[in-house]
Amino acid sequence: MSTRSCIGEVLPDGRVRAIYCHGDGGLHRGSVGWTLATFYGSADRVASLLNLGDCSRLMPALGRRHRFDKAPANWSTFYGRDRGERGRAARVYADLEQFEVERAGWGHVEFLYAWARGGGWSVCEVDLESGLVSQWQSLAARLEGVGVHRNREE
């Protein structure tokens, strides 16, 4: 079973532009949380990621178009680019609250990630049984809290 997540960027006007990510959305080494904190720490990298739309798996490199079921090592896989699916572009939400309500209410998303210029990555967790959403926390602090360090050489 996959740990699903959504990845968004808080835009200057407060709206949130976001995508869905199907696999490995948690907070362990190699997960979406660790990968975002380690390899997607600039506005340009975040924009490039979101421009590709919903993804099946997030890896350190965005890569180029490839067969959906045969991704090269460390390349991300996207439903639109790599499988040709339509309707997989990033969605825009009015604000973080709408992002939380709509994505958490979807029923399968366990982690929400949001990038803010000048603030970096934040994360909140969704309880799948109750639908309750935790408070937003710094992703770096949350990773440290579960004993996961961001350096690439560990």
Side-chain angles (χ1 to χ4, degrees):
M1 175 138 167
S2 295
T3 303
R4 298 168 177 100
S5 62
C6 288
I7 303 165
E9 174 186 18
V10 180
L11 302 171
D13 64 4
R15 293 178 305 147
V16 176
R17 181 174 168 237
I19 62 171
Y20 164 75
C21 186
H22 185 74
D24 215 2
L27 294 169
H28 57 276
R29 185 172 174 78
S31 69
V32 167
W34 179 84
T35 301
L36 290 171
T38 306
F39 297 98
Y40 293 87
S42 73
D44 288 343
R45 288 282 288 162
V46 173
S48 294
L49 166 61
L50 296 179
N51 287 342
L52 289 167
D54 293 344
C55 65
S56 175
R57 71 177 194 153
L58 180 67
M59 300 298 286
L62 295 175
R64 295 186 306 276
R65 186 161 196 239
H66 58 271
R67 280 187 45 178
F68 190 82
D69 60 345
K70 294 219 184 229
N74 291 322
W75 280 21
S76 300
T77 301
F78 296 88
Y79 291 105
R81 180 190 74 185
D82 302 318
R83 194 154 71 179
E85 291 186 18
R86 296 188 187 277
R88 293 300 201 141
R91 292 155 204 76
V92 178
Y93 301 90
D95 52 29
L96 269 177
E97 183 178 358
Q98 184 189 28
F99 175 51
E100 288 174 22
V101 169
E102 290 192 19
R103 295 317 296 181
W106 187 60
H108 303 291
V109 172
E110 295 181 56
F111 292 89
L112 301 174
Y113 297 97
W115 165 265
R117 290 175 192 250
W121 286 106
S122 296
V123 60
C124 71
E125 297 178 49
V126 180
D127 182 298
L128 292 180
E129 296 211 9
S130 68
L132 294 175
V133 178
S134 72
Q135 294 290 319
W136 286 94
Q137 303 174 28
S138 158
L139 177 56
R142 187 70 180 96
L143 288 168
E144 289 289 329
V146 296
V148 177
H149 303 285
R150 292 185 311 173
N151 65 16
R152 299 175 192 188
E153 281 76 44
E154 284 185 349

Short mmCIF file of all heavy atoms in Angstrom, two decimals, residues 79-142:
data_model
loop_
_atom_site.label_atom_id
_atom_site.label_comp_id
_atom_site.label_asym_id
_atom_site.label_seq_id
_atom_site.Cartn_x
_atom_site.Cartn_y
_atom_site.Cartn_z
N TYR A 79 2.43 11.08 -14.04
CA TYR A 79 1.31 10.51 -14.78
C TYR A 79 1.12 11.15 -16.16
O TYR A 79 0.85 10.45 -17.13
CB TYR A 79 0.01 10.64 -13.97
CG TYR A 79 0.02 9.77 -12.75
CD1 TYR A 79 0.22 10.32 -11.48
CD2 TYR A 79 -0.17 8.40 -12.84
CE1 TYR A 79 0.22 9.51 -10.34
CE2 TYR A 79 -0.17 7.59 -11.72
CZ TYR A 79 0.03 8.16 -10.48
OH TYR A 79 0.05 7.36 -9.37
N GLY A 80 1.24 12.45 -16.25
CA GLY A 80 1.08 13.12 -17.54
C GLY A 80 2.25 12.90 -18.47
O GLY A 80 2.10 12.40 -19.58
N ARG A 81 3.43 13.25 -18.01
CA ARG A 81 4.63 13.17 -18.85
C ARG A 81 4.96 11.74 -19.26
O ARG A 81 5.26 11.47 -20.42
CB ARG A 81 5.83 13.77 -18.10
CG ARG A 81 7.12 13.74 -18.91
CD ARG A 81 8.34 14.09 -18.10
NE ARG A 81 8.70 13.00 -17.19
CZ ARG A 81 9.68 13.10 -16.29
NH1 ARG A 81 10.36 14.22 -16.15
NH2 ARG A 81 9.96 12.07 -15.51
N ASP A 82 4.88 10.81 -18.32
CA ASP A 82 5.41 9.46 -18.56
C ASP A 82 4.35 8.43 -18.93
O ASP A 82 4.69 7.38 -19.48
CB ASP A 82 6.20 9.00 -17.35
CG ASP A 82 7.34 9.95 -17.03
OD1 ASP A 82 8.02 10.41 -17.97
OD2 ASP A 82 7.55 10.26 -15.84
N ARG A 83 3.09 8.71 -18.64
CA ARG A 83 2.04 7.77 -19.01
C ARG A 83 1.02 8.41 -19.95
O ARG A 83 0.11 7.74 -20.43
CB ARG A 83 1.35 7.23 -17.75
CG ARG A 83 0.50 6.01 -18.04
CD ARG A 83 0.30 5.10 -16.86
NE ARG A 83 -0.56 5.64 -15.83
CZ ARG A 83 -0.87 4.99 -14.72
NH1 ARG A 83 -0.38 3.77 -14.49
NH2 ARG A 83 -1.64 5.52 -13.82
N GLY A 84 1.16 9.70 -20.21
CA GLY A 84 0.29 10.38 -21.16
C GLY A 84 -1.11 10.68 -20.65
O GLY A 84 -2.00 11.01 -21.44
N GLU A 85 -1.32 10.62 -19.34
CA GLU A 85 -2.65 10.89 -18.80
C GLU A 85 -2.96 12.38 -18.87
O GLU A 85 -2.11 13.22 -18.62
CB GLU A 85 -2.75 10.41 -17.34
CG GLU A 85 -2.72 8.92 -17.21
CD GLU A 85 -2.96 8.46 -15.77
OE1 GLU A 85 -3.47 9.24 -14.95
OE2 GLU A 85 -2.61 7.29 -15.49
N ARG A 86 -4.20 12.68 -19.16
CA ARG A 86 -4.67 14.07 -19.18
C ARG A 86 -5.28 14.41 -17.82
O ARG A 86 -5.65 13.53 -17.07
CB ARG A 86 -5.70 14.25 -20.28
CG ARG A 86 -5.13 14.02 -21.66
CD ARG A 86 -6.16 14.39 -22.73
NE ARG A 86 -5.72 14.04 -24.05
CZ ARG A 86 -4.91 14.77 -24.79
NH1 ARG A 86 -4.45 15.91 -24.33
NH2 ARG A 86 -4.57 14.37 -26.01
N GLY A 87 -5.39 15.70 -17.55
CA GLY A 87 -6.01 16.14 -16.31
C GLY A 87 -5.15 15.96 -15.08
O GLY A 87 -5.66 15.88 -13.96
N ARG A 88 -3.85 15.89 -15.26
CA ARG A 88 -2.93 15.67 -14.13
C ARG A 88 -2.09 16.90 -13.81
O ARG A 88 -1.10 16.81 -13.10
CB ARG A 88 -2.02 14.49 -14.43
CG ARG A 88 -2.74 13.16 -14.50
CD ARG A 88 -3.42 12.83 -13.19
NE ARG A 88 -3.69 11.41 -13.08
CZ ARG A 88 -3.56 10.72 -11.96
NH1 ARG A 88 -3.20 11.31 -10.86
NH2 ARG A 88 -3.83 9.44 -11.95
N ALA A 89 -2.51 18.07 -14.29
CA ALA A 89 -1.77 19.31 -14.01
C ALA A 89 -1.98 19.72 -12.56
O ALA A 89 -2.92 19.29 -11.89
CB ALA A 89 -2.26 20.43 -14.94
N ALA A 90 -1.09 20.58 -12.08
CA ALA A 90 -1.23 21.11 -10.72
C ALA A 90 -2.57 21.84 -10.59
O ALA A 90 -3.07 22.43 -11.54
CB ALA A 90 -0.08 22.07 -10.41
N ARG A 91 -3.15 21.74 -9.40
CA ARG A 91 -4.40 22.42 -9.10
C ARG A 91 -4.10 23.64 -8.22
O ARG A 91 -3.12 23.63 -7.48
CB ARG A 91 -5.36 21.49 -8.36
CG ARG A 91 -5.87 20.35 -9.22
CD ARG A 91 -6.26 19.17 -8.31
NE ARG A 91 -6.23 17.88 -8.98
CZ ARG A 91 -5.15 17.18 -9.29
NH1 ARG A 91 -3.96 17.64 -9.01
NH2 ARG A 91 -5.23 16.02 -9.89
N VAL A 92 -4.98 24.62 -8.27
CA VAL A 92 -4.80 25.82 -7.46
C VAL A 92 -5.94 25.91 -6.45
O VAL A 92 -7.11 25.76 -6.81
CB VAL A 92 -4.73 27.10 -8.33
CG1 VAL A 92 -4.59 28.34 -7.45
CG2 VAL A 92 -3.56 27.01 -9.31
N TYR A 93 -5.58 26.11 -5.19
CA TYR A 93 -6.52 26.23 -4.08
C TYR A 93 -6.50 27.66 -3.57
O TYR A 93 -5.48 28.34 -3.65
CB TYR A 93 -6.14 25.25 -2.97
CG TYR A 93 -6.12 23.83 -3.45
CD1 TYR A 93 -4.97 23.25 -3.98
CD2 TYR A 93 -7.28 23.05 -3.44
CE1 TYR A 93 -4.96 21.96 -4.46
CE2 TYR A 93 -7.29 21.75 -3.92
CZ TYR A 93 -6.12 21.22 -4.44
OH TYR A 93 -6.12 19.93 -4.91
N ALA A 94 -7.61 28.12 -3.01
CA ALA A 94 -7.74 29.51 -2.55
C ALA A 94 -6.71 29.86 -1.48
O ALA A 94 -6.19 30.98 -1.44
CB ALA A 94 -9.15 29.78 -2.03
N ASP A 95 -6.39 28.89 -0.61
CA ASP A 95 -5.46 29.12 0.49
C ASP A 95 -5.08 27.77 1.11
O ASP A 95 -5.57 26.72 0.66
CB ASP A 95 -6.05 30.06 1.54
CG ASP A 95 -7.42 29.63 2.03
OD1 ASP A 95 -7.73 28.41 2.03
OD2 ASP A 95 -8.21 30.51 2.42
N LEU A 96 -4.25 27.80 2.15
CA LEU A 96 -3.83 26.56 2.80
C LEU A 96 -5.02 25.80 3.39
O LEU A 96 -5.06 24.58 3.36
CB LEU A 96 -2.82 26.84 3.92
CG LEU A 96 -1.35 26.81 3.53
CD1 LEU A 96 -0.48 27.18 4.74
CD2 LEU A 96 -0.92 25.48 2.96
N GLU A 97 -5.98 26.52 3.91
CA GLU A 97 -7.15 25.86 4.50
C GLU A 97 -7.91 25.05 3.45
O GLU A 97 -8.27 23.89 3.69
CB GLU A 97 -8.07 26.87 5.17
CG GLU A 97 -9.24 26.22 5.86
CD GLU A 97 -10.14 27.20 6.58
OE1 GLU A 97 -9.85 28.41 6.59
OE2 GLU A 97 -11.15 26.74 7.14
N GLN A 98 -8.15 25.65 2.28
CA GLN A 98 -8.85 24.90 1.23
C GLN A 98 -8.00 23.72 0.77
O GLN A 98 -8.54 22.63 0.53
CB GLN A 98 -9.19 25.80 0.04
CG GLN A 98 -10.00 25.04 -1.01
CD GLN A 98 -10.18 25.81 -2.31
OE1 GLN A 98 -9.34 26.63 -2.68
NE2 GLN A 98 -11.25 25.51 -3.01
N PHE A 99 -6.70 23.90 0.66
CA PHE A 99 -5.79 22.81 0.30
C PHE A 99 -5.94 21.66 1.30
O PHE A 99 -6.11 20.51 0.92
CB PHE A 99 -4.36 23.36 0.28
CG PHE A 99 -3.27 22.35 0.03
CD1 PHE A 99 -3.31 21.47 -1.05
CD2 PHE A 99 -2.15 22.30 0.86
CE1 PHE A 99 -2.28 20.56 -1.29
CE2 PHE A 99 -1.12 21.40 0.63
CZ PHE A 99 -1.19 20.53 -0.44
N GLU A 100 -5.92 21.98 2.60
CA GLU A 100 -6.08 20.95 3.64
C GLU A 100 -7.42 20.24 3.51
O GLU A 100 -7.49 19.01 3.50
CB GLU A 100 -6.02 21.58 5.02
CG GLU A 100 -4.68 22.06 5.46
CD GLU A 100 -4.77 22.79 6.80
OE1 GLU A 100 -5.73 22.58 7.56
OE2 GLU A 100 -3.86 23.58 7.07
N VAL A 101 -8.50 20.99 3.46
CA VAL A 101 -9.84 20.42 3.46
C VAL A 101 -10.07 19.55 2.23
O VAL A 101 -10.53 18.41 2.34
CB VAL A 101 -10.91 21.54 3.54
CG1 VAL A 101 -12.30 20.98 3.27
CG2 VAL A 101 -10.84 22.22 4.89
N GLU A 102 -9.73 20.06 1.05
CA GLU A 102 -9.99 19.30 -0.17
C GLU A 102 -9.07 18.11 -0.33
O GLU A 102 -9.51 17.03 -0.72
CB GLU A 102 -9.92 20.22 -1.38
CG GLU A 102 -11.10 21.18 -1.42
CD GLU A 102 -11.24 21.89 -2.73
OE1 GLU A 102 -10.69 21.42 -3.75
OE2 GLU A 102 -11.91 22.93 -2.73
N ARG A 103 -7.80 18.26 -0.03
CA ARG A 103 -6.87 17.15 -0.23
C ARG A 103 -7.00 16.13 0.90
O ARG A 103 -7.00 14.93 0.66
CB ARG A 103 -5.44 17.64 -0.37
CG ARG A 103 -5.20 18.48 -1.59
CD ARG A 103 -5.86 17.94 -2.85
NE ARG A 103 -5.33 16.67 -3.27
CZ ARG A 103 -5.71 15.98 -4.34
NH1 ARG A 103 -6.64 16.44 -5.11
NH2 ARG A 103 -5.18 14.83 -4.62
N ALA A 104 -7.11 16.58 2.14
CA ALA A 104 -7.26 15.65 3.25
C ALA A 104 -8.61 14.93 3.15
O ALA A 104 -8.72 13.75 3.44
CB ALA A 104 -7.14 16.37 4.58
N GLY A 105 -9.62 15.64 2.69
CA GLY A 105 -10.95 15.06 2.55
C GLY A 105 -11.04 14.04 1.44
O GLY A 105 -12.01 13.29 1.34
N TRP A 106 -10.03 13.98 0.60
CA TRP A 106 -10.01 13.03 -0.50
C TRP A 106 -9.99 11.59 0.01
O TRP A 106 -10.45 10.68 -0.64
CB TRP A 106 -8.82 13.33 -1.40
CG TRP A 106 -8.76 12.55 -2.65
CD1 TRP A 106 -9.69 12.51 -3.65
CD2 TRP A 106 -7.72 11.67 -3.05
NE1 TRP A 106 -9.28 11.67 -4.65
CE2 TRP A 106 -8.06 11.14 -4.30
CE3 TRP A 106 -6.51 11.28 -2.48
CZ2 TRP A 106 -7.26 10.25 -4.99
CZ3 TRP A 106 -5.70 10.40 -3.16
CH2 TRP A 106 -6.09 9.89 -4.40
N GLY A 107 -9.46 11.40 1.22
CA GLY A 107 -9.56 10.11 1.86
C GLY A 107 -8.34 9.22 1.87
O GLY A 107 -8.29 8.26 2.61
N HIS A 108 -7.34 9.51 1.08
CA HIS A 108 -6.19 8.62 1.03
C HIS A 108 -4.87 9.34 1.27
O HIS A 108 -3.84 8.70 1.34
CB HIS A 108 -6.11 7.92 -0.33
CG HIS A 108 -7.34 7.14 -0.66
ND1 HIS A 108 -7.69 6.00 0.01
CD2 HIS A 108 -8.31 7.36 -1.56
CE1 HIS A 108 -8.82 5.53 -0.48
NE2 HIS A 108 -9.22 6.34 -1.43
N VAL A 109 -4.90 10.65 1.34
CA VAL A 109 -3.67 11.43 1.48
C VAL A 109 -3.29 11.52 2.96
O VAL A 109 -4.09 11.95 3.78
CB VAL A 109 -3.85 12.84 0.88
CG1 VAL A 109 -2.66 13.72 1.20
CG2 VAL A 109 -4.06 12.74 -0.62
N GLU A 110 -2.07 11.08 3.28
CA GLU A 110 -1.61 11.07 4.67
C GLU A 110 -0.69 12.23 5.02
O GLU A 110 -0.55 12.56 6.20
CB GLU A 110 -0.90 9.76 4.96
CG GLU A 110 -1.81 8.56 4.88
CD GLU A 110 -1.10 7.27 5.18
OE1 GLU A 110 -0.51 7.15 6.28
OE2 GLU A 110 -1.12 6.38 4.32
N PHE A 111 -0.05 12.83 4.02
CA PHE A 111 0.86 13.94 4.28
C PHE A 111 0.61 15.06 3.28
O PHE A 111 0.42 14.80 2.08
CB PHE A 111 2.34 13.49 4.14
CG PHE A 111 2.76 12.54 5.22
CD1 PHE A 111 2.60 11.17 5.07
CD2 PHE A 111 3.31 13.02 6.41
CE1 PHE A 111 2.98 10.29 6.07
CE2 PHE A 111 3.69 12.14 7.41
CZ PHE A 111 3.53 10.77 7.24
N LEU A 112 0.62 16.30 3.78
CA LEU A 112 0.55 17.49 2.94
C LEU A 112 1.85 18.26 3.14
O LEU A 112 2.28 18.47 4.28
CB LEU A 112 -0.64 18.38 3.35
CG LEU A 112 -2.02 17.75 3.27
CD1 LEU A 112 -3.06 18.71 3.83
CD2 LEU A 112 -2.36 17.36 1.84
N TYR A 113 2.46 18.66 2.04
CA TYR A 113 3.70 19.43 2.08
C TYR A 113 3.46 20.76 1.38
O TYR A 113 2.81 20.80 0.35
CB TYR A 113 4.83 18.68 1.34
CG TYR A 113 5.18 17.36 1.98
CD1 TYR A 113 4.66 16.17 1.50
CD2 TYR A 113 6.04 17.32 3.08
CE1 TYR A 113 4.98 14.95 2.10
CE2 TYR A 113 6.37 16.11 3.67
CZ TYR A 113 5.84 14.94 3.18
OH TYR A 113 6.16 13.74 3.77
N ALA A 114 3.99 21.83 1.96
CA ALA A 114 3.83 23.16 1.37
C ALA A 114 5.15 23.91 1.42
O ALA A 114 5.80 23.97 2.47
CB ALA A 114 2.74 23.94 2.10
N TRP A 115 5.52 24.48 0.28
CA TRP A 115 6.72 25.30 0.16
C TRP A 115 6.29 26.76 0.19
O TRP A 115 5.33 27.15 -0.49
CB TRP A 115 7.42 25.01 -1.17
CG TRP A 115 8.45 26.01 -1.55
CD1 TRP A 115 8.29 27.10 -2.36
CD2 TRP A 115 9.82 26.03 -1.14
NE1 TRP A 115 9.47 27.79 -2.47
CE2 TRP A 115 10.42 27.16 -1.73
CE3 TRP A 115 10.57 25.21 -0.33
CZ2 TRP A 115 11.75 27.48 -1.53
CZ3 TRP A 115 11.91 25.52 -0.12
CH2 TRP A 115 12.49 26.64 -0.72
N ALA A 116 6.99 27.57 0.96
CA ALA A 116 6.75 29.01 0.98
C ALA A 116 8.08 29.72 0.79
O ALA A 116 9.05 29.41 1.49
CB ALA A 116 6.11 29.44 2.30
N ARG A 117 8.12 30.64 -0.17
CA ARG A 117 9.36 31.39 -0.39
C ARG A 117 9.75 32.09 0.90
O ARG A 117 8.93 32.72 1.54
CB ARG A 117 9.17 32.42 -1.50
CG ARG A 117 9.03 31.78 -2.85
CD ARG A 117 8.72 32.82 -3.91
NE ARG A 117 8.32 32.16 -5.13
CZ ARG A 117 9.04 32.13 -6.23
NH1 ARG A 117 10.21 32.74 -6.27
NH2 ARG A 117 8.60 31.52 -7.29
N GLY A 118 10.99 31.93 1.28
CA GLY A 118 11.48 32.53 2.51
C GLY A 118 11.20 31.71 3.75
O GLY A 118 11.75 31.98 4.81
N GLY A 119 10.37 30.68 3.62
CA GLY A 119 10.04 29.87 4.78
C GLY A 119 10.37 28.41 4.61
O GLY A 119 10.36 27.65 5.57
N GLY A 120 10.65 28.00 3.39
CA GLY A 120 10.99 26.60 3.14
C GLY A 120 9.79 25.68 3.22
O GLY A 120 8.64 26.10 3.06
N TRP A 121 10.05 24.41 3.49
CA TRP A 121 9.02 23.37 3.50
C TRP A 121 8.36 23.24 4.86
O TRP A 121 9.03 23.28 5.89
CB TRP A 121 9.62 22.02 3.12
CG TRP A 121 9.94 21.89 1.68
CD1 TRP A 121 11.19 21.91 1.11
CD2 TRP A 121 9.01 21.71 0.61
NE1 TRP A 121 11.08 21.76 -0.25
CE2 TRP A 121 9.74 21.64 -0.59
CE3 TRP A 121 7.62 21.62 0.54
CZ2 TRP A 121 9.15 21.47 -1.82
CZ3 TRP A 121 7.01 21.46 -0.69
CH2 TRP A 121 7.78 21.38 -1.85
N SER A 122 7.04 23.02 4.82
CA SER A 122 6.26 22.68 6.00
C SER A 122 5.50 21.40 5.70
O SER A 122 5.28 21.05 4.53
CB SER A 122 5.26 23.78 6.34
OG SER A 122 5.93 24.96 6.69
N VAL A 123 5.08 20.70 6.76
CA VAL A 123 4.34 19.46 6.60
C VAL A 123 3.22 19.39 7.62
O VAL A 123 3.35 19.92 8.72
CB VAL A 123 5.28 18.23 6.75
CG1 VAL A 123 5.94 18.20 8.12
CG2 VAL A 123 4.55 16.93 6.46
N CYS A 124 2.13 18.76 7.24
CA CYS A 124 1.11 18.37 8.21
C CYS A 124 0.66 16.96 7.86
O CYS A 124 0.81 16.52 6.72
CB CYS A 124 -0.06 19.35 8.28
SG CYS A 124 -1.15 19.36 6.88
N GLU A 125 0.19 16.27 8.86
CA GLU A 125 -0.22 14.88 8.69
C GLU A 125 -1.73 14.76 8.81
O GLU A 125 -2.37 15.50 9.55
CB GLU A 125 0.47 14.00 9.72
CG GLU A 125 1.98 14.01 9.56
CD GLU A 125 2.70 13.19 10.61
OE1 GLU A 125 2.31 12.03 10.83
OE2 GLU A 125 3.66 13.72 11.20
N VAL A 126 -2.30 13.82 8.06
CA VAL A 126 -3.74 13.59 8.05
C VAL A 126 -4.02 12.22 8.66
O VAL A 126 -3.44 11.22 8.24
CB VAL A 126 -4.29 13.63 6.61
CG1 VAL A 126 -5.79 13.40 6.59
CG2 VAL A 126 -3.93 14.95 5.92
N ASP A 127 -4.89 12.18 9.66
CA ASP A 127 -5.33 10.92 10.24
C ASP A 127 -6.40 10.35 9.31
O ASP A 127 -7.47 10.95 9.16
CB ASP A 127 -5.88 11.15 11.64
CG ASP A 127 -6.32 9.85 12.30
OD1 ASP A 127 -7.25 9.20 11.76
OD2 ASP A 127 -5.75 9.50 13.34
N LEU A 128 -6.12 9.22 8.68
CA LEU A 128 -7.04 8.67 7.68
C LEU A 128 -8.38 8.24 8.27
O LEU A 128 -9.39 8.27 7.59
CB LEU A 128 -6.39 7.51 6.93
CG LEU A 128 -5.22 7.88 6.03
CD1 LEU A 128 -4.67 6.65 5.34
CD2 LEU A 128 -5.61 8.93 5.00
N GLU A 129 -8.39 7.85 9.52
CA GLU A 129 -9.65 7.40 10.13
C GLU A 129 -10.56 8.57 10.47
O GLU A 129 -11.75 8.55 10.18
CB GLU A 129 -9.36 6.55 11.36
CG GLU A 129 -8.63 5.29 10.99
CD GLU A 129 -8.95 4.14 11.90
OE1 GLU A 129 -9.86 4.25 12.73
OE2 GLU A 129 -8.27 3.12 11.75
N SER A 130 -10.01 9.60 11.09
CA SER A 130 -10.83 10.73 11.53
C SER A 130 -10.89 11.87 10.51
O SER A 130 -11.79 12.69 10.56
CB SER A 130 -10.30 11.28 12.85
OG SER A 130 -9.03 11.90 12.65
N GLY A 131 -9.87 11.94 9.64
CA GLY A 131 -9.78 13.05 8.70
C GLY A 131 -9.18 14.30 9.31
O GLY A 131 -9.06 15.32 8.64
N LEU A 132 -8.79 14.22 10.58
CA LEU A 132 -8.20 15.38 11.25
C LEU A 132 -6.80 15.66 10.70
O LEU A 132 -6.04 14.74 10.41
CB LEU A 132 -8.14 15.16 12.75
CG LEU A 132 -9.49 15.06 13.46
CD1 LEU A 132 -9.29 14.71 14.93
CD2 LEU A 132 -10.28 16.35 13.31
N VAL A 133 -6.49 16.93 10.60
CA VAL A 133 -5.21 17.38 10.06
C VAL A 133 -4.39 17.99 11.20
O VAL A 133 -4.90 18.81 11.96
CB VAL A 133 -5.43 18.41 8.93
CG1 VAL A 133 -4.11 18.92 8.40
CG2 VAL A 133 -6.27 17.82 7.82
N SER A 134 -3.13 17.59 11.31
CA SER A 134 -2.25 18.14 12.36
C SER A 134 -1.89 19.59 12.03
O SER A 134 -2.13 20.08 10.93
CB SER A 134 -0.97 17.31 12.47
OG SER A 134 -0.14 17.53 11.33
N GLN A 135 -1.28 20.26 12.98
CA GLN A 135 -0.76 21.60 12.76
C GLN A 135 0.40 21.53 11.76
O GLN A 135 1.14 20.55 11.73
CB GLN A 135 -0.25 22.21 14.07
CG GLN A 135 -1.34 22.46 15.08
CD GLN A 135 -2.25 23.58 14.67
OE1 GLN A 135 -1.81 24.60 14.15
NE2 GLN A 135 -3.55 23.38 14.86
N TRP A 136 0.56 22.58 10.96
CA TRP A 136 1.71 22.66 10.07
C TRP A 136 2.97 22.82 10.90
O TRP A 136 2.97 23.54 11.89
CB TRP A 136 1.57 23.84 9.11
CG TRP A 136 0.55 23.59 8.04
CD1 TRP A 136 -0.76 23.95 8.07
CD2 TRP A 136 0.76 22.93 6.80
NE1 TRP A 136 -1.38 23.54 6.92
CE2 TRP A 136 -0.47 22.91 6.11
CE3 TRP A 136 1.87 22.33 6.20
CZ2 TRP A 136 -0.63 22.33 4.86
CZ3 TRP A 136 1.71 21.76 4.95
CH2 TRP A 136 0.48 21.76 4.29
N GLN A 137 4.04 22.10 10.51
CA GLN A 137 5.33 22.17 11.18
C GLN A 137 6.42 22.32 10.13
O GLN A 137 6.26 21.89 8.99
CB GLN A 137 5.62 20.87 11.94
CG GLN A 137 4.60 20.48 12.95
CD GLN A 137 4.94 19.10 13.52
OE1 GLN A 137 6.08 18.67 13.56
NE2 GLN A 137 3.91 18.38 13.95
N SER A 138 7.54 22.84 10.54
CA SER A 138 8.71 22.88 9.66
C SER A 138 9.07 21.45 9.28
O SER A 138 9.17 20.58 10.15
CB SER A 138 9.88 23.53 10.40
OG SER A 138 11.11 23.15 9.84
N LEU A 139 9.25 21.19 7.99
CA LEU A 139 9.62 19.85 7.55
C LEU A 139 10.97 19.45 8.12
O LEU A 139 11.15 18.32 8.58
CB LEU A 139 9.61 19.76 6.03
CG LEU A 139 10.05 18.42 5.43
CD1 LEU A 139 9.22 17.26 5.96
CD2 LEU A 139 9.99 18.49 3.90
N ALA A 140 11.93 20.37 8.12
CA ALA A 140 13.27 20.05 8.65
C ALA A 140 13.17 19.63 10.12
O ALA A 140 13.77 18.63 10.53
CB ALA A 140 14.20 21.25 8.50
N ALA A 141 12.39 20.36 10.91
CA ALA A 141 12.23 20.03 12.33
C ALA A 141 11.51 18.70 12.49
O ALA A 141 11.86 17.89 13.36
CB ALA A 141 11.48 21.14 13.05
N ARG A 142 10.51 18.44 11.67
CA ARG A 142 9.76 17.18 11.76
C ARG A 142 10.65 16.00 11.42
O ARG A 142 10.60 14.95 12.07
CB ARG A 142 8.54 17.24 10.85
CG ARG A 142 7.61 16.08 10.98
CD ARG A 142 6.86 16.09 12.32
NE ARG A 142 5.98 14.95 12.39
CZ ARG A 142 6.30 13.79 12.99
NH1 ARG A 142 7.44 13.65 13.61
NH2 ARG A 142 5.46 12.79 12.97
#
